[in-house]
Amino acid sequence: HLAFLLPISFMVPTVFRTPQALEINLSPDKEAQTQIAESNLLQFRVLSEDKVYWKKGPKTDPWVRTSVAALKDVLNPLRNNDKIVVLINIDREAKFNNMVSIIDQLDIVKLDRFSIIELSPKDKAEVVNL
C-alpha cells in the first residue's frame, strides 16, 4: 500500500499547467493591403545565432544590431502604442524559439499588430555584414 501512497502524495498537490495557445488572425482576403505610415513601421530581421537587426521609421534609417533577449529595451518605449506595426522577417536558419520569444515580448508590451514573413536573400544581405 505504501508504494501507491507515495506517488499519490506527490501528485495531489501538483498543479498541472493548462496548454497555452497563440491566437493568430489572418485576413480572409490574401490580396488585401493596408496602408501604414513609414514612421509607424518597426522592422526586425532575425538571423541565425540569435542575431536580430531592427529599425523604426524611414528606409534611410540605419539598422541596429541586437539580440532577441535585448529586444525588450527596444520595445518598452513603444508600449501600448496602437499605431505601431511590426514586420518580422525571419531567416529559415533562425531558431523557432527566437520567433516565439519575439512574439511573447510583443505581447508583453501590447504591440499586437505584426506580420511574420520569410527573410529574403536580398534582405539578409542588407544586414548580414553590419
Side-chain angles (χ1 to χ4, degrees), residues 13-77:
T14 302
V15 177
F16 296 101
R17 284 183 19 172
T18 58
Q20 296 179 350
L22 175 65
E23 181 180 333
I24 298 177
N25 296 321
L26 301 174
S27 173
D29 182 7
K30 292 182 180 183
E31 301 299 319
Q33 294 186 357
T34 304
Q35 296 297 324
I36 302 166
E38 201 172 31
S39 60
N40 293 331
L41 182 62
L42 176 63
Q43 298 180 63
F44 295 131
R45 294 199 176 157
V46 184
L47 280 64
S48 60
E49 301 173 11
D50 198 33
K51 293 179 188 173
V52 178
Y53 297 87
W54 70 274
K55 75 175 178 176
K56 182 180 179 301
K59 293 178 182 177
T60 57
D61 285 357
W63 288 96
V64 179
R65 183 176 171 181
T66 189
S67 67
V68 173
L71 278 179
K72 63 180 175 253
D73 298 328
V74 174
L75 296 172
N76 273 333

